[in-house]
Amino acid sequence: MNATPAVGATGHRSPKWWLLAVALFLVGSACLVVGLRGSQHPLAGPVVSRAAPPKSINYTTPPSKIALPVAVRSAPVELRIPAIALTSSLSTLGLNPDGTIEVPTDAQQPGWYKFGPSPGQEGSAVILGHVDSLKGPAVFFRLQSLVAGDVVDVTLADGVTAQFKVTSVAMYLKTAFPTQAVYASHGFGALQLVTCGGVFDSRTGHYLSNVVVYTSLVVLTPASAAIADAVSHV
Amino acid sequence: MLAARLSRRAQTSLRCAGNCLPLPDGMDRTSVVRRCLIGAAVATTTLAMLALGGFAAAPAASAAASAPAATQCNAPAFPTGAGFQVTCTITVDNTVTSAGATTSRVTGTACLAAAGVLPPFGCTTTVTASNQLVTSVNQCNGIAYGGGSNVMCKVAVVNTTPAGTSAPGVSVDQCIGSGTGGGTQPTVVCSPSASTTNATVTQCNGSGNGGGASTRVKCTVTGGATALPMTITQCDGSANGGGSTVSCTTAFSNNYEAASQSTTTTPASSTVATTPAAVPRAGPIGGGTKGVGPPRAGGPGGTGTTGRSPRGGGPTGTFGSVLAPPSGVIPVGPPQTGLGGASHSTNDDLVILGILSLIGSALATVLALRRRQFLLIRGRTASP
């Protein structure tokens, strides 16, 4: 009989702590869930062009009218973009059965579209890279920070190095992706670097836009000259 | 030898595994168990290696018996859709010296572009050398049957053998079941036109059946004899959409090499077949009735007169006629090059608050438990 008041006292005094513990647990759990789920935010980049660009803008115009030697067809093996500290080997990309372009299987390695010209040839060579993977930034994450005048070097399998300069950077909604501007020839040696950007649509698992860096050929360096240059630097 | 030793070790280990449960006299159970586990692992690995070796041995022996083959421009590596220009060439140089040594060199050029876009655009060349003779070539089969495509493939076989080597004639099986679907006659121009089983050359069968222009299946075999064994299969079941063309050639030449000089029995000019290519077009012909419609840029597949269901015109058919020079096959749609990992960020403040709340919750729980225990003890001590 005498134990009853003690139990009653226990039941009377400790519920405060129990209630506090439960409340804190619920609040803490909710904060963790919401905090870890986080939020989506669009990647920084150029303003989205809602329509395909007109043919008169400068991406179709080479920076100089000097006739450049044309590279023979050779697969590109390395891409270097000093402005964003990027040096990477390259894979090759073909077409999917539905006619869309394959994308690189490795998020950290860009790929060259093999059914177009090789970099340095007349026409538009295209290199694709991922902006990010599920884990975080990928090889072309900083591509959208390039500006006109930045240098892009591509080494071909035959040892030739093709140097390009960025002429413009644009972002397009995927619904208005300018395939002709990106893939078709504009009458000179061009290299287009393509990745994703803008707002990420978590329902589809894809970004809503593409970032395209337009470049034009500046100089071709033969393999022997490249080797001599390297030796002289040593 | 090694396999036998491994096998004996495996058998020993298996016996050990069988005796694992009863404890041998004078032995510590732990050491026995350890030894048996090691033995079991060795046995499993050994058996797996032997099994793998057995599986691998069969194809290896088979591969050693068969000579390498030259293969390119076949589905699924090459597209089956519409509006493609496929131009593929394989040159096989097989050489047998008077001492019996064999070498081969295969030069393959595979070009894929929009219809009307001719090489060198979209071409890839590979050269493969081997000390085995190449005895079969397989290319341009089952591709580009979506309408408005052109398939132009060529095989050149150059055999170099010691003087006096016999050169049996080649048999040909080509242009069977091809060129149907309507169009101005002749839709098929083949030389020779023959149906033979197990032929040396099997080409252009079941191809170019979508209707369209005249002379849309044009295939030839020249040379007539081969000093070294060869089987060629090309251009079968290809370019069956409306307005598609097939032009394929096979050429044999045999060079006979004396001790210090070489003689060529087949004139060089005749070793390379010079089949006129289909007239390059800016885009595929629409597969129109009787095949007399004018060339159009990327028009839709037309209707063959005898029922072959034509496919749509090439998705990239307009490419050859745009102002800019052609440069390859233009993909459809935008690329998907992101999975969102970089555009997603956690809310660090909320995470910290959550962690602190959980810590507080844990502390409150501890305090509640201690309080409860304290009150229980006090209640017991307070009772008489």
Side-chain angles (χ1 to χ4, degrees), chain A residues 13 21 37 73 113 174 185, chain B residues 123 324 329 336 344 361 371:
Chain A
R13 303 287 294 269
R37 182 184 294 168
R73 186 172 180 80
Y113 176 55
K174 288 185 175 178
S185 173
Chain B
C123 294
V329 180
Q336 306 290 2
H344 174 272
S361 172
R371 179 75 180 166

Side-chain angles (χ1 to χ4, degrees), chain B residues 40-343:
Chain B
V42 170
T44 306
T45 307
T46 305
L47 289 174
M49 288 172 64
L50 288 174
L52 283 174
F55 284 126
S62 167
S66 63
T71 301
Q72 69 174 9
C73 304
N74 296 310
F78 262 51
T80 58
F84 289 102
Q85 184 83 30
V86 178
T87 309
C88 297
T89 303
I90 288 182
T91 301
V92 179
D93 289 289
N94 278 332
T95 301
V96 178
T97 68
S98 55
T102 60
T103 57
S104 66
R105 180 183 174 87
V106 177
T107 305
T109 301
C111 308
L112 177 63
V117 180
L118 299 175
F121 295 106
C123 294
T124 303
T125 299
T126 56
V127 179
T128 307
S130 169
N131 57 5
Q132 287 183 294
L133 297 178
V134 172
T135 58
S136 71
V137 174
N138 189 310
Q139 70 171 356
C140 304
N141 299 302
I143 57 171
Y145 46 76
S149 295
N150 302 311
V151 176
M152 304 165 68
C153 298
K154 185 183 292 184
V155 177
V157 179
V158 181
N159 299 314
T160 302
T161 59
T165 305
S166 64
V170 299
S171 54
V172 177
D173 179 16
Q174 72 171 348
C175 300
I176 308 301
S178 297
T180 63
T184 307
Q185 295 296 327
T187 59
V188 177
V189 177
C190 295
S191 174
S193 185
S195 175
T196 309
T197 55
N198 299 322
T200 310
V201 179
T202 302
Q203 67 179 9
C204 304
N205 299 305
S207 295
N209 285 318
S214 64
T215 320
R216 62 176 180 272
V217 179
K218 195 166 190 177
C219 299
T220 58
V221 178
T222 61
T226 178
L228 296 170
M230 176 60 69
T231 302
I232 290 165
T233 305
Q234 70 169 346
C235 305
D236 292 329
S238 293
N240 279 320
S244 295
T245 66
V246 181
S247 178
C248 299
T249 66
T250 299
F252 291 94
S253 66
N254 301 293
N255 302 327
Y256 298 103
E257 211 159 63
S260 60
Q261 62 179 13
S262 64
T263 58
T264 303
T265 59
T266 311
S269 59
S270 66
T271 59
V272 178
T274 53
T275 301
V279 178
R281 300 189 300 269
I285 293 174
T289 304
K290 304 294 185 187
V292 294
R296 292 200 298 269
T303 52
T305 53
T306 55
R308 274 281 177 176
S309 59
R311 277 81 169 189
T316 57
T318 57
F319 185 66
S321 63
V322 296
L323 293 176
S327 60
V329 180
I330 295 183
V332 177
Q336 306 290 2
T337 47
L339 293 173
S343 71

